[in-house]
Amino acid sequence: MDRAKGIDVSRYQGVIDWAQVAQAGYSFAAIRATIGDYYTDPRFAENWQGARDNGLLVTAYHVVKPAIAANAQMMRLLDALADRQPDLPLALDVELKDGCPEQQVLDVTRACLEILTGEGLRVI
């Protein structure tokens, strides 16, 4: 079974040679856009454009912070996306409970999904 190769990037990878990524056989990139309601990855726009300019399909992901209201978080993500249209569904990265009860993590994540799908966006 053939599978598409993808890459997940954020500022931590530094400056990416997107031509080299494409030549290595990667077909898509998931690019970190935001964290909570307080952080936009400083390389988000650069990585989005670099991946797209080199023929990769692109999407963005948001790191959910369960202690922060979903609406504020999704506004941060939507602001970072601006007029960019992802080729693939957006992704939510839910890694930490941040000391919150499990139900709160579920509720905030569900609310984030509802906001994005209400905006007509596909999400995984």
Side-chain angles (χ1 to χ4, degrees):
M1 170 192 236
D2 289 337
R3 293 182 184 221
K5 279 176 57 175
I7 187 171
D8 162 10
V9 300
S10 70
R11 74 176 181 91
Y12 292 111
Q13 281 70 49
V15 175
I16 297 170
D17 183 339
W18 286 103
Q20 184 177 0
V21 171
Q23 290 170 0
Y26 289 90
S27 59
F28 71 92
I31 302 164
R32 183 176 71 182
T34 50
I35 300 173
D37 67 346
Y38 56 86
Y39 183 82
T40 299
D41 192 298
R43 294 202 182 273
F44 173 65
E46 171 187 338
N47 284 332
W48 182 283
Q49 195 61 51
R52 178 146 289 158
D53 286 350
N54 285 278
L56 279 74
L57 299 174
V58 295
T59 191
Y61 71 93
H62 170 80
V63 179
V64 175
K65 301 302 274 183
I68 299 172
N71 190 50
Q73 295 190 63
M74 294 303 92
M75 290 305 299
R76 184 73 180 213
L77 174 58
L78 293 170
D79 285 347
L81 282 173
D83 62 351
R84 295 177 185 88
Q85 294 298 313
D87 300 308
L88 304 168
L90 297 172
L92 295 178
D93 182 353
V94 186
E95 296 181 23
L96 303 172
K97 289 174 54 174
D98 287 341
C100 297
E102 196 168 309
Q103 189 61 51
Q104 184 173 345
V105 176
L106 293 171
D107 290 345
V108 169
T109 302
R110 183 176 296 115
C112 288
L113 289 168
E114 289 171 356
I115 291 165
L116 292 175
T117 57
E119 291 288 326
L121 296 164
R122 297 174 296 150
V123 186
I124 57 170

